[in-house]
Amino acid sequence: MYLDYNSTTPVDKRVSEVVFQTLTDVYGNASSQHSYGIRARLLVDEARSSIAKVIGSVKDEIYFTSGATESINFALKGLALHPRNSKRHIITCPTEHKAVLETCYYLESIGFDIDYLPVNEHGVIDLEKLSSLIKQDTLLICLMWVNNETGVIHPIEKIGEIAKEAGAYFVCDGTQGVGKLPINVVESNIDILCFSGHKMYAPKGIGGLYINSYAKAQNRIQPLLHGGAQENGLRSGTYNVPLIAGLGKAFEISLVEMETNKIFIESLRNKAEQELLKLDGAFINGKRAPRIFNTVNVSILGFDTDVFIGINKDIAISNGSACNSSLIQPSHVLLAMGLSNSDAISSIRISLGKDNTNDDIDLLLMRIHDFMTLL
Amino acid sequence: MKAYLDNAATTRLDPEVLEAMLPLMTEQFGNPSSIHAHGRAVRSALERARKTVAGLLHAAPAEIFFTSGGTEADNTAIRGSIETLGLTHAITSPLEHHAVLHTLEHLARQGRITLSLVRVDEKGQIDLDHLEELLSTQPRALVSLMHGNNEIGNLLDLDAVGELCSRYDAIFHCDTVQTMGHYPHDLQQLSAHFIVGAAHKFHGPKGVGFLYVRPGTRIHPFVHGGAQERNMRGGTENVYGIVGLAKALEIAYRDMDEHRRHIEGLKKRMIDQLREKIEGVLFNGLSADLDRSLYTVLSVSLPPSDINDMLLFNLDIAGISASGGSACSSGSEVGSHVLGALQVPADRANVRFSFSKFTTAQEVDHAVQVVAELYKREPIC
Ligand SMILES: Cc1ncc(COP(=O)(O)O)c(C=O)c1O
Ligand SMILES: Cc1ncc(COP(=O)(O)O)c(C=O)c1O
């Protein structure tokens, strides 16, 4: 039973069909000038258009990478380390994903000045505080759209406005929101939006980013990967045509099915949440904040999450984000929201997707009940 | 008839490889970093793949790091070694792939390193005396020289370069993208600190590659994020790609001799026929020297003719996919930097034919026939 869609999703059948077909039939190098190459290039272009359509940009602003982590590294280092950049200040937040935090630690280690905007107990940032942190020297604000652990949604339109007014770039890790919620990068004043295929029913190892033509046209971002100068020189490496085609398909599907998925998944989530709240000493993290419809992060007093996961090996849920979960450590996101170590350790993240059913929720609740009575 | 003769740009996926990748795309979809059963099943497939690759190369699994391709592997090795080990000097050649050249040039522009180019002769052979001279004035340099050139096929004398690098305490990065899966690499014998592979050059999928790092050579991560690849490379792993890469390399090693014989035969057949049918045909670099060039690559230089500008176009019309230089840059109307460095005459046309195990004698014959037809001399009366 799979309740860990924020960690990774299964690949939609319609997407894997596109991937297989491309793997078998289209083997040219998308940079080649001959007919095999042209055929591959058309698929890449088509995918670019599908993505642009979903996020409200134009296709030339979409760049492919190996995933959100690479996109984030590229965005932050590409802006910060550009030879024409002299600004040294970056604002981010302690509840960001490791891809952002680790990259910021790296930039800090080479002399950048990083401010970590705190969140309150609901996981919400204070916009006035954000404005007050801005300096002459602020290069960029890096804040995620949807938090992967709690589902809390940041007010990206307002952040975008603040960034724009300050003349700073707004880099947004959209990994958990893209494909699930509608977005318009222009209206939200987002300069760079990062995303990953495997969070939206496409394969792992493919992702991308939107870079608005301003950042690009002003030639203010430099590549992370140097080489054959693919992607207008901003991302080198042979095009991963099959997975790019698959990613395009996933975007195409998301546009059509976003609303239906939301209604269905939200009803499952609400049911799970209501039942969980009946448990002794249980509370939902981020309950009072705007949250995405598929995520419940619950802390249950005295609940030993690791033992629960250990016993219920057939249930896929998470005790944090997957990238950290091999280490038994309290979630940095929950700690940043002010939870005690023991509350943070007693929390589980349930993240739902379109293949879940009512029975899945019932079974999970039963297992949690059994586990609690056992104690 | 169609003839795909651009296998140095990318190869066709082996159906056996696809077979191995299928389950990872369908039923096994967990995140390898998750601790639940879905995650652990995928993690074990990932680690099995690492073991397979390591075993084939006589390395340890901990020395293999998966990346998004040859380019990322080259970038990681070069930037990682320069930044982590504090190297201030690098030596490369003008014939390298742009994944190497552009990375080094970028670092040189930033003032991180001084960059020296080792001399090459008109055949593209590395001047080893000059390399030694550069190493002796700048010990503890990064040396980045490719094993097999993707455009002209020249093979590097790995032992000689490795020996020089050890003598001068240099770090040796070898771009082995074109030889991986085509020549046996034995890391117990090889002294390189870094070698790399890209699956799509040996019938694996695109978008996945790997970096080998010699034990004792510690480098900082290049992509920061989660704890994947033992903290060396953040990002959820491309597990189908990785499993496909391992399978492709396994097949490549299993059938290497047989494929080599087949492909070498095709290359020889093409050389012989071109020589016979086209007056004044030449071969760039060491391309026609079967012992000192990639058996997969033949770089042909055709005599001056009105049709030179339209050669590739004409080939494409006739169903033949080949390459003018390398395909690895978009908008590749810019001339090849490799052929430029060899100072090939401007009035000749250059075309790279590259072969794989799937190439047939009929494809080669068809290509030769079309080229011969294009370059047929009108009888002078
Ligand atoms: C010699 C060489 N090095 C590096 C690369 C880059 O590999 P990739 O495009 O898979 O990143 C290529 C091919 O494109 C190559 O031929
Ligand atoms: C919010 C967020 N950002 C970034 C990432 C990194 O994505 P990937 O591992 O595909 O590079 C993830 C998922 O792991 C995520 O949830």
Side-chain angles (χ1 to χ4, degrees), chain A residues 6-7 66-72 96-100 144-149 173-177 194-199 204-207 321-323 349, chain B residues 31 226 228 233-237:
Chain A
N6 285 8
S7 163
S66 64
T69 302
E70 184 191 327
S71 299
I72 291 164
E96 292 292 313
H97 188 267
K98 287 280 181 222
V100 168
M144 71 206 309
W145 182 15
V146 176
N147 187 280
N148 49 308
E149 294 194 29
D173 175 1
T175 308
Q176 292 292 346
C194 304
F195 47 86
S196 219
H198 70 107
K199 309 286 188 184
K204 301 176 185 64
I206 191 71
S321 74
C323 312
R349 178 189 71 184
Chain B
N31 188 321
Q228 292 94 346
R233 200 265 183 193
T236 301
E237 301 87 341

Side-chain angles (χ1 to χ4, degrees), chain A residues 207-222:
Chain A
L209 68 171
Y210 151 85
I211 304 177
N212 81 2
S213 47
Y214 177 78
K216 165 74 176 100
Q218 300 297 304
N219 194 15
R220 284 306 171 105
I221 183 158
Q222 69 174 22

Side-chain angles (χ1 to χ4, degrees), chain A residues 4 31 34 36 73 77 203-204, chain B residues 6 29 36 224 240 321 327:
Chain A
D4 202 12
S31 303
H34 48 64
Y36 288 86
N73 273 258
K77 293 175 190 171
K204 301 176 185 64
Chain B
D6 201 10
F29 65 83
H36 47 64
H224 293 91
Y240 351 84
S321 298

Side-chain angles (χ1 to χ4, degrees), chain B residues 144-219:
Chain B
S144 181
L145 291 171
M146 70 205 306
H147 187 201
N149 187 281
N150 51 307
E151 293 196 36
I152 53 173
N154 285 23
L155 284 168
L156 184 72
D157 184 341
L158 273 181
D159 293 333
V161 173
E163 211 269 309
L164 279 177
C165 288
S166 322
R167 196 179 319 151
Y168 292 95
D169 196 24
I171 299 290
F172 180 23
H173 163 246
C174 187
D175 179 347
T176 48
V177 165
Q178 290 290 341
T179 52
M180 187 59 65
H182 302 289
Y183 291 79
H185 286 288
D186 179 355
L187 287 160
Q188 296 306 309
Q189 301 299 318
L190 207 63
S191 62
H193 294 81
F194 305 102
I195 71 169
V196 302
H200 71 104
K201 306 283 190 188
F202 51 91
H203 306 287
K206 297 175 178 61
V208 62
F210 70 90
L211 169 66
Y212 156 85
V213 181
R214 178 160 292 283
T217 319
R218 284 230 53 87
I219 58 170

Side-chain angles (χ1 to χ4, degrees), chain B residues 32-33 42-67 187 208-213 227-233 235-239 241-247 249-250:
Chain B
S33 300
V42 178
R43 152 82 56 196
S44 82
L46 183 65
E47 293 311 321
R48 262 201 314 280
R50 198 188 308 281
K51 241 172 122 173
T52 302
V53 173
L56 293 168
L57 303 178
H58 301 157
E63 294 154 19
I64 305 295
F65 299 91
F66 292 113
T67 66
L187 287 160
V208 62
F210 70 90
L211 169 66
Y212 156 85
V213 181
Q228 292 94 346
E229 296 297 304
R230 297 183 305 293
N231 282 314
M232 265 288 292
R233 200 265 183 193
T236 301
E237 301 87 341
N238 176 354
V239 283
I242 291 170
V243 167
L245 180 152
K247 188 68 190 177
L249 198 61
E250 198 181 306

Side-chain angles (χ1 to χ4, degrees), chain A residues 29 230 235-239, chain B residues 8-9 68-72 74 96-100 146 148-150 175-178 196-201 207-208 328 352:
Chain A
N29 186 316
Q230 287 89 347
R235 204 282 187 176
S236 292
T238 298
Y239 286 99
Chain B
S68 67
T71 300
E72 187 188 322
D74 282 335
E96 298 303 305
H97 190 270
H98 280 152
V100 168
M146 70 205 306
N149 187 281
N150 51 307
D175 179 347
T176 48
V177 165
Q178 290 290 341
V196 302
H200 71 104
K201 306 283 190 188
V208 62
C328 303
R352 176 188 74 183

